[in-house]
Amino acid sequence: MGDRFQAKQRFTDGAQFIGGRLVHGTSGRTQNVVDPATGETVLTYELASTADVDAAVAAARAAFPGWSSATPGERSDALHRFAAVLAARAGDFARAESLQCGKPLKLSAGFDVPGTVDNAAFFAGAARHLQGVSAGEYSADHTSYVRREPIGVVGSIAPWNYPLQMAAWKILPAVAAGNTIVLKPAEITPLTSLMFARAAQEAGIPDGVINIVSGAGPDAGEHLVGHPDVAMTSFTGSTAVGRRVAAIATANVTRLHLELGGKAPFVVFDDADLEAAVHGAVAGALINTGQDCTAATRAYVQRPLYDAFVADVAALMETVRVGDPFADDTDLGPLVSHAQRDRVAGFVDRARGCARIVTGGESPGGALAPGAYYRPTLIADAAQDSEAVQSEIFGPVLVAVPFDTDDEGIALANDTPYGLAASAWSRDVYRTGRATREIRAGCVWINDHIPIISEMPHGGYQHSGWGKDMSAYSFEEYTQVKHVMYDNTGVSRKDWHRTIFGDRT
């Protein structure tokens, strides 16, 4: 499947992309990018300072008049070229993503990169369809229509679990709508965001339209969110950090889009295809080593199927091959860091006293010991109010809980503060229809879990945030809606003027 990506040779000029150039950060502090499969440092770079953020915002602001005034066709053509460059560099992007994240190369090459190329192609087309309401006489004396206009400079913050896809989800709708952007990737996974910006430049997108600042959240991130020249902030990450981002943004009355945590329920009714549900649960729980805000995390299984489901999921999990992300036969790579591995292990260890660890619950030894690995884990019989059920673990851990009635299953599915995604498993169209209506989540899958497509929106309810990524709905986040109204009468003195002038003629 190819050699590991050589990050040190690729980023000798720095890990900031500002105004069309790779430059070094000026904070005076460095950050290591670590291969989580081995614990080895693959790149050390200088973190961005607040001055670097200022420079990036200034570059984006300078590029805004030209990019926002480009025709939809011109922006569309540029994004089509961008999609072609991304496709041509697919192997490079996949290897870099697997190196910095630890995800199996088959996931990066088969899911992350093709999804990103498809996103670029989708928004290339969508750029031509930024339409408002057609003109009409909603008042008898006037013609009204709606314009969609770009907002300005967007300041976005992306997480470490899907660095390439999250960069695409932030950047593509923003620039398709005519905005310019400064993106801050997670400081531990900046590689593919930088490569994404350079690919855009190669495709002919003007310098300054896309800028990347690789810095720490409390410094570069907070300065970006609070910057007076940033018209909108888009953040993906934990709910706790999202609250901090919201506080800073709202202090400036900055427009805000949040995609936050999740704790997706996986509801299995007693008429479900058990084999399909078992395979769906294991795949949905373990994708990206469980570091996915829509991952299946809470399996609620109706009691007639519960024991068989637990036994079959455990057996299938034990066949999952944990290993080197670059090996052809690896199914599950490490977590993104040793700190994240230890955090996941802490959740499982605390659950031992009140639930049953059916399989997993440990880090592998031997040749994998230096990496941030953790075995696929199934926890059964946890209480609904327990930490394992209520909190986002963000690792290869599935919790199984039985239920009796349909009412109870749906109530349990809704019984967390989150509402990003969910699935329901049944052969009964009425049961599944009820689930889609009553489960409070931004996406509800039926007899599947995880697939996403560029044409459909992604975003949550409740503590999972607000607003949408992907699809034409994302333009709701990245455009201003302006009402334009024309007088059609040519009359100098309007009838409504009597409210001011009374009976004077």
Side-chain angles (χ1 to χ4, degrees):
M1 280 192 168
D3 298 328
R4 277 174 160 76
F5 182 83
Q6 299 301 308
K8 291 179 181 178
Q9 288 86 337
R10 295 289 293 271
F11 296 103
T12 56
D13 293 329
Q16 319 297 327
F17 190 81
I18 299 173
R21 293 192 308 122
L22 276 176
V23 297
H24 294 285
T26 62
S27 69
R29 294 179 292 116
T30 59
Q31 172 69 46
N32 291 333
V33 178
V34 176
D35 177 354
T38 64
E40 297 175 358
T41 296
V42 297
L43 177 69
T44 300
Y45 71 91
E46 297 84 358
L47 286 163
S49 67
T50 56
D52 297 325
V53 173
D54 291 340
V57 172
R61 188 178 181 188
F64 178 73
W67 184 248
S68 63
S69 62
T71 66
E74 289 169 337
R75 291 199 295 268
S76 176
D77 288 346
L79 288 172
H80 276 299
R81 294 193 301 270
F82 189 16
V85 173
L86 293 171
R89 305 281 186 275
D92 224 18
F93 275 101
R95 292 187 302 115
E97 194 78 335
S98 288
L99 180 72
Q100 67 181 349
C101 298
K103 62 182 69 186
L105 188 58
K106 68 180 181 182
L107 176 63
S108 297
F111 181 79
D112 297 57
V113 175
T116 300
V117 173
D118 188 69
N119 271 204
F122 171 81
F123 281 107
R128 291 180 179 267
H129 297 283
L130 276 169
Q131 299 170 347
V133 177
S134 300
E137 285 68 49
Y138 301 97
S139 156
D141 296 336
H142 305 84
T143 296
S144 289
Y145 67 88
V146 169
R147 289 176 54 90
R148 283 192 178 275
E149 298 179 347
I151 297 168
V153 177
V154 177
S156 289
I157 299 176
W160 46 254
N161 58 333
Y162 289 102
L164 176 60
Q165 286 200 308
M166 292 299 100
W169 287 15
K170 300 299 183 193
I171 291 170
L172 291 169
V175 300
N179 302 286
T180 56
I181 191 166
V182 179
L183 173 78
K184 192 200 88 65
E187 58 267 35
I188 63 173
T189 56
L191 304 183
T192 46
S193 296
L194 293 163
M195 294 166 63
F196 192 79
R198 295 185 75 178
Q201 183 185 47
E202 185 178 341
I205 293 176
D207 293 347
V209 172
I210 299 171
N211 305 273
I212 309 293
V213 289
S214 306
D219 303 319
E222 292 197 4
H223 189 66
L224 178 61
V225 173
H227 200 289
D229 290 333
V230 168
M232 175 191 162
T233 291
S234 178
F235 171 80
T236 296
S238 72
T239 299
V241 178
R243 290 191 181 97
R244 175 63 180 161
V245 168
I248 297 169
T250 53
N252 282 347
V253 199
T254 300
R255 188 162 174 165
L256 186 60
H257 165 226
L258 298 173
E259 198 264 274
L260 306 177
K263 189 70 176 175
F266 186 100
V267 183
V268 182
F269 294 102
D270 58 13
D271 67 333
D273 180 329
L274 180 61
E275 181 182 11
V278 167
H279 279 78
V282 173
L286 300 185
I287 188 170
N288 203 35
T289 319
Q291 299 165 124
D292 187 310
C293 50
T294 63
T297 60
R298 298 180 288 141
Y300 295 108
V301 185
Q302 206 151 25
R303 204 169 295 274
L305 294 184
Y306 180 71
D307 289 342
F309 177 89
V310 169
D312 291 354
V313 165
L316 188 57
M317 279 187 169
E318 289 166 4
T319 71
V320 172
R321 299 165 297 185
V322 180
D324 177 2
F326 289 85
D328 291 340
D329 60 353
T330 290
D331 299 320
L332 196 75
L335 289 120
V336 74
S337 68
H338 289 80
Q340 181 65 14
R341 188 270 314 275
D342 294 345
R343 179 180 179 274
V344 170
F347 275 101
V348 177
D349 289 343
R350 290 189 295 273
R352 294 182 192 278
C354 56
R356 180 164 52 103
I357 311 301
V358 184
T359 189
E362 62 183 4
S363 298
L368 300 182
Y373 292 93
Y374 200 77
R375 294 196 184 281
T377 300
L378 176 63
I379 300 174
D381 309 335
Q384 177 64 16
D385 62 356
S386 66
E387 177 190 55
V389 172
Q390 293 292 322
S391 298
E392 189 174 31
I393 298 173
F394 226 57
V397 180
L398 176 66
V399 183
V401 177
F403 71 90
D404 291 303
T405 67
D406 289 16
D407 288 349
E408 182 188 8
I410 290 176
L412 290 170
N414 286 329
D415 185 28
T416 72
Y418 299 105
L420 186 58
S423 65
W425 298 73
S426 171
R427 293 182 173 95
D428 186 328
V429 66
Y430 298 104
R431 269 179 158 171
T432 57
R434 179 187 178 189
T436 63
R437 292 190 302 273
E438 297 186 14
I439 294 177
R440 296 190 297 271
C443 175
V444 180
W445 292 284
I446 298 300
N447 295 324
D448 207 346
H449 196 106
I450 283 297
I452 54 174
I453 50 176
S454 298
E455 292 83 359
M456 288 291 113
H458 175 85
Y461 291 14
Q462 303 183 117
H463 289 190
S464 291
W466 62 76
K468 300 299 179 184
D469 288 309
M470 297 197 300
S471 82
Y473 289 97
S474 65
F475 287 135
E476 304 295 333
E477 317 305 322
Y478 294 101
T479 56
Q480 299 275 19
V481 175
K482 177 184 287 185
H483 171 213
V484 177
M485 179 179 262
Y486 280 92
D487 169 62
N488 291 332
T489 67
V491 175
S492 299
R493 299 185 179 184
K494 316 295 187 191
D495 181 61
W496 71 266
H497 291 179
R498 70 184 185 279
T499 61
I500 299 299
F501 301 115
D503 58 0
R504 285 173 288 166
T505 59

